[in-house]
Amino acid sequence: MTQFDPPGGHGRPAVPSPSAAAALARCVCVEPAKFAAAHWGHTPLLSRAAELPDPAGFTDLFSPTDADELLSRRGLRTPFLRVAKDGQLVPAARWTGGGGAGAEIGDQVLDERILEQYADGATLVLQGLHRIWPPLVDFARDLGLALSQPLQINAYLTPAGSQGFATHYDTHDVFVLQVDGRKHWRIHPPVLPDPLEKQTWGGRADEVTATAQGPAALDVVLAPGDALYLPRGWLHSAQAQDASSLHLTVGIRALTRYALVEELLALAAEDQRLRAGLPFGTDVADPDAIEPELTETVEALRDWLLRADPSAVAARLRQRAWPAARPAPIRPLAQAGALAALDADSRLTLRPGLRWQLVPHDGDKVALRLFDRTITLPADCEPAVRALLSGTETRVGDLPGLPDDADRVTLARRLLREAVLVPA
């Protein structure tokens, strides 16, 4: 199917934006191409503050003062906070409750209880900061665009000398950004390379413990402004030093080849041979009875896979990946005001971070696919839509391909209301 996407295609710019490139540069001390070839998904990378473009560190993104603000004055609720001590999670009932008159919801974080836990050596894990803390909302969007992957950001606040979690591995890649204090990290090779999300470390606890007792592949203390990249599966533990520590963990939720397998198998339901039932009376517990059916099934699956349509697989992967990475927030009241005041002289631009596809639809229409819906428009709107999706600031009255300003304003109003566009 012919795509109307601009260079770069499928809603991605041909050249990464400066803000996206800058976000990645804050995390790695090597050029992006070298990081991708030598480290991404393979080996850890330690980047000292002096090697990064902003040696002042990461306090502009999140600081101890910001953490106190969230913990005390924002009505924070579970699950945006976890509390861990001695490798175990502290039940939320010990540090949550109602917020007083007019805010009786019972799972709100109680600052006095958090003080009690933290002073007693517990680690505080602020979760989902890419959704609730403005500087990290923007940073997550830019870094996600640079990596072409959805991601999440948590903050870990650990008292002096404490360790929140025992040695473990994550099932997603991470960047560790040391904000405040110093933390001692011990990194060991994987016991299971490239684990899937369902292959958590708990199922291999004995192997993890045994490997952690051996020599470390990396034994470092992170200071403010330092960054560490860890591929999924690499074992790690971290302990605060002689002062409290705050670091950010950016978790990258990359899709895997197994995701392709899952979508291929879902699509395989279209093949009648693979939908066929087993012969009457087959003893499914008998390997000899199953063997000929397995052989025929594998042959049918092989035949089907050779005919698999990449566009169908991509469509299914899009439905998984795009909703996982939200575009930039919009301001509903300001957006509504812009709608009311819209005219031919209004200037609009694409909502930052929005992923999209523009494709033909039913011969005389085009379909604009977004992360959460599809918008159908007349085909003669295509040149104007293309201009609006270019990412450059556009005057409504300058939109190409439409006969008059009334039609231009109508199209712009539709896309502004659908939150595809924002006021420039």
Side-chain angles (χ1 to χ4, degrees):
M1 179 178 291
T2 301
Q3 300 287 326
F4 288 151
D5 296 353
H10 307 287
R12 293 177 54 192
V15 179
S17 70
S19 59
L24 179 58
R26 295 191 71 172
C27 302
V28 297
C29 62
V30 296
E31 292 297 319
K34 182 175 181 180
F35 172 70
H39 297 283
W40 177 252
H42 299 297
T43 60
L45 174 65
L46 173 64
S47 301
R48 293 296 189 184
E51 302 173 296
L52 296 173
D54 188 359
F58 305 105
T59 53
D60 61 312
L61 300 177
F62 196 68
S63 70
T65 301
D66 298 334
D68 265 343
E69 172 80 11
L70 274 179
L71 292 167
S72 62
R73 300 173 65 89
R74 296 297 184 96
L76 197 69
R77 300 174 60 189
T78 58
F80 284 102
L81 179 69
R82 288 186 299 160
V83 178
K85 186 179 179 186
D86 300 327
Q88 302 293 323
L89 291 177
V90 178
R94 297 185 188 176
W95 43 269
T96 59
E104 292 88 352
I105 298 168
D107 66 346
Q108 295 181 75
V109 173
L110 301 179
D111 42 12
E112 56 271 275
R113 296 290 176 259
I114 291 300
L115 168 61
E116 180 182 292
Q117 294 290 335
Y118 188 71
D120 198 34
T123 288
L124 310 180
V125 186
L126 288 160
Q127 302 188 129
L129 292 178
H130 59 292
R131 291 289 293 132
I132 62 175
W133 194 251
L136 289 175
V137 171
D138 295 339
F139 179 72
R141 182 188 70 245
D142 290 339
L143 184 58
L145 288 173
L147 298 171
S148 297
Q149 305 289 349
L151 50 81
Q152 64 188 49
I153 301 180
N154 298 342
Y156 291 75
L157 299 109
T158 307
S162 294
Q163 177 176 320
F165 297 95
T167 301
H168 65 284
Y169 65 76
D170 295 318
T171 58
H172 51 265
D173 295 40
V174 300
F175 288 112
V176 176
L177 310 179
Q178 187 69 26
V179 177
D180 186 66
R182 295 161 61 85
K183 207 162 195 181
H184 181 199
W185 287 76
R186 288 176 55 83
I187 313 299
H188 294 81
V191 297
L192 176 69
D194 299 326
L196 302 173
E197 284 197 9
K198 59 187 177 182
Q199 296 174 312
T200 59
W201 74 275
R204 291 172 170 77
D206 291 342
E207 293 176 80
V208 169
T209 299
T211 302
Q213 293 172 350
L218 193 60
D219 191 327
V220 296
V221 174
L222 295 188
D226 292 345
L228 175 66
Y229 165 71
L230 291 177
R232 59 193 166 107
W234 281 73
L235 309 186
H236 55 275
S237 63
Q239 184 171 22
Q241 298 299 282
D242 53 1
S244 59
S245 166
L246 166 59
H247 77 263
L248 298 171
T249 293
V250 181
I252 302 123
R253 310 302 290 264
L255 291 178
T256 66
R257 285 184 175 173
Y258 190 76
L260 294 178
V261 172
E262 291 175 323
E263 300 305 342
L264 283 167
L265 289 179
L267 289 168
E270 299 172 4
D271 190 293
Q272 183 176 353
R273 290 174 65 189
L274 293 170
R275 296 197 308 269
L278 297 176
F280 179 80
T282 300
D283 182 357
V284 296
D286 180 358
D288 291 334
I290 288 296
E291 193 276 334
E293 295 304 316
L294 182 61
T295 299
E296 185 171 345
T297 300
V298 169
E299 180 182 347
L301 180 60
R302 182 186 299 114
D303 291 344
W304 185 88
L305 290 174
L306 291 174
R307 304 190 308 272
D309 180 5
S311 64
V313 176
R316 294 185 64 90
L317 290 173
R318 172 173 55 83
Q319 293 172 4
R320 290 174 61 160
W322 283 18
R326 288 188 59 83
I330 60 167
R331 299 176 181 271
L333 301 186
Q335 194 90 347
L339 274 167
L342 188 71
D343 59 25
D345 288 324
S346 299
R347 293 183 175 273
L348 305 175
T349 190
L350 181 67
R351 182 181 179 183
L354 185 71
R355 299 292 296 272
W356 54 268
Q357 284 181 322
L358 189 62
V359 298
H361 181 74
D362 286 348
D364 59 347
K365 295 181 176 63
V366 291
L368 178 59
R369 296 171 177 164
L370 306 175
F371 71 100
D372 60 347
R373 62 199 181 283
T374 296
I375 302 168
T376 303
L377 299 163
D380 58 5
C381 291
E382 182 266 320
V385 174
R386 183 199 293 261
L388 290 166
L389 295 175
S390 68
T392 59
E393 180 180 321
T394 304
R395 178 180 174 272
V396 173
D398 294 334
L399 291 175
L402 295 174
D404 53 43
D405 282 349
D407 286 342
R408 297 182 183 100
V409 170
T410 297
L411 173 64
R413 178 173 287 112
R414 172 77 186 281
L415 297 182
L416 195 62
R417 188 180 182 88
E418 296 277 6
V420 174
L421 305 175
V422 294

